[in-house]
Amino acid sequence: MFPIRDHNPSRRPAHVTRLLIAVNVGVFLLTWPAFADDRGLLQLWVDWALIPAAVSQGYQWHSVLSSMFLHAGVMHLGGNMLFLWIFGDNLEDEMGRLRYLAFYLACGVISGLAHVLADPSSTVPTVGASGAIAGVMGGYLLMFPRARIDVLLIFVIFFKVIQVRAWAVLGIWFAIQLVLGTRGAPGAGVAYWAHAGGFVAGAILCLPLWLRRGGPRFWRLTGGRPPHAPALAPTHVPRVARRRP
């Protein structure tokens, strides 16, 4: 189940979300030559990636921030930017641009620290914006639990696009991070605890905004969807008898 788009237009252009995507793509293009040289790539990771063992010993604190703008490949970058594009615009619209930018960076830092706490002795370099984007997803779940998301279902060689509520998509995603983080070794390829930590941080950081909007009353007024989302289509259309000449 892979989210591919939503049906929830924002009131204003999502300039910060677009800027973040542009910065991530730009950094990836700048670092692309290093992927052709193993030694150069290793040096890039040592200098700028998040290495829990180094941070836990008081070194390379800058990597908590710098690592969220690095990616390990085209698919890694593309998947992260797709999720940011789907979920970021509505949250930016609701928060305002500067608060949203601060929120994004804070979620990225907290997710990085969660990864360090999960396995402080790990020497595996960690890169990617997924922790910060997980924070965006956590905030989105709190603010718009009934938003409609198109997800791609893949069954071996068959696929189908269906609409699913945000609470189901994001709830399942979060549960997967918890299960795999608990059963697997942190730092063994995917930073599950960074994802989970960012998600929880995003929900908590959005809580004051949700309460200012009225809390449960905000859900009732908006239907649990972004305020400017289109009205839901009817789920059942009665059959109409046709007159024949």
Side-chain angles (χ1 to χ4, degrees), residues 44 84 110 155 165 214 220:
L44 175 67
L84 179 56
I110 293 171
F155 302 97
R165 299 292 186 182
R220 290 194 296 270

Side-chain angles (χ1 to χ4, degrees), residues 46-190:
V46 168
D47 290 341
W48 301 106
L50 173 63
I51 301 176
V55 174
S56 63
Q57 294 175 20
Y59 303 104
Q60 292 185 308
W61 278 96
H62 67 276
S63 66
V64 177
L65 185 65
S66 63
S67 62
M68 74 175 76
F69 294 99
L70 296 172
H71 288 84
V74 174
M75 295 300 293
H76 187 204
L77 173 70
N80 278 348
M81 295 304 100
L82 175 61
F83 274 58
L84 179 56
W85 178 252
I86 293 173
F87 299 109
D89 60 334
N90 295 122
L91 208 57
E92 177 182 344
D93 199 22
E94 201 66 32
M95 284 185 167
R97 289 166 181 156
L98 291 180
R99 288 182 181 178
Y100 171 74
L101 177 60
F103 166 84
Y104 178 91
L105 295 175
C107 288
V109 170
I110 293 171
S111 72
L113 295 177
H115 180 61
V116 172
L117 290 173
D119 191 7
S121 63
S122 173
T123 58
V124 178
T126 303
V127 297
S130 54
I133 297 168
V136 173
M137 294 161 64
Y140 192 100
L141 176 61
L142 177 64
M143 299 298 295
F144 316 120
R146 291 181 57 79
R148 294 178 296 164
I149 309 295
D150 281 356
V151 300
L152 178 65
L153 295 180
I154 302 175
F155 302 97
V156 190
I157 62 173
F158 301 100
F159 63 90
K160 182 179 180 63
V161 176
I162 64 172
Q163 284 190 7
V164 181
R165 299 292 186 182
W167 66 263
V169 176
L170 299 177
I172 291 172
W173 182 88
F174 180 63
I176 291 172
Q177 308 312 304
L178 291 179
V179 170
L180 295 180
T182 301
R183 294 183 177 181
V190 180

